[in-house]
Amino acid sequence: MIGGLLHGRVHLTIAQFQARNHHLIFTYVLALLELVRPLVFHVDLHNELMSVLDSLCELLQSYCLTGKRLSNLAEKIASFLLNFLRHDHSRAEPFLSSRAGLWRGLADEHSTAPCIQLLYETVSAQCTTSNDDKPSRTLSRSSKGGGRREENDVTGGEDEFSLEKLVPYTLALEPGKPVEDILVALEEVDRASLRSTSILRHFLVQLSQLLSSPDSDCVSLASKLIVRHIRNHPREADRFIPLYLTCLRSSNIEVASEILKSIPDIIVFSSKHCRQLLHEAVAVSLSCHLDNGQDLLRCLKLCSLV
């Protein structure tokens, strides 16, 4: 019923929608969903939840909201969807992937919104694993609604690394190799994994070892690739927690600083360790006098502490 009430409002004209402050009911419904989280994620309520989420996404696709109202509501919806993804990845992922073009458009429009950016990066990484070509499509609003933002499917590519190609990169990523060679290999794996994230599973051992590298550039790129792998295999997040905690306690301030940048992404997929990660991140930041307020703010938001 709530989904139906919302759905009827997204087809109003822009003037009608704004004149009657219809955006408030969407804000109130979203606040109610947050209050009953995680109960609202129960499988018995799946159809009702999808109805509400569909209407919220249709509102974001429409041009009924602009400026700060759009930014604020989109950020709250993205935060709720990240929690949904963390709670039940198997049910959240198909919904999010079907709206991949919407998240891309919102990420472009709101580059400083942490939850929107994180949601887009997560969905984009998941979509690149798909080998099925899907035609892009444009959803158009009726003339009275004034148009609709485009929603395009994001498709993935094939795994381009054969076993013969894997060996040189695996050897080049071994600790003790020249930093320049390691960075070249990491950049090559990074480019390839954008087309097919499945190749990352072949380099997890080497990437984990590189997190303790004294070179901050190696640490940064290795962590980026591990996070990309976790986004596509969220159930594996817990196995990396001890590694990240160890790296946060590194005596090398540059390494600890680079690791801190990845902690918000790790928190998304390892909720039961979020407080431990946050505590360690704050401790490191204070003891090392690091200027990473934005990273800590993202951690706080994702831990639902603010």
Side-chain angles (χ1 to χ4, degrees), residues 191-223:
R191 284 192 292 270
S193 67
L194 289 173
R195 295 185 287 274
S196 176
T197 55
S198 61
I199 69 166
L200 292 175
R201 67 181 184 273
H202 302 294
F203 302 100
L204 291 178
V205 173
Q206 290 78 14
L207 293 174
S208 298
Q209 292 172 336
L210 287 173
L211 286 187
S212 58
S213 168
D215 185 85
S216 60
D217 289 333
C218 287
V219 173
S220 177
L221 197 44
S223 181

Side-chain angles (χ1 to χ4, degrees), residues 17 36 61 83 139 168 186 200 205 219 227 269:
F17 190 89
V36 294
Q61 286 175 237
N83 279 300
L139 300 181
L186 284 172
L200 292 175
V205 173
V219 173
V227 169
F269 298 106

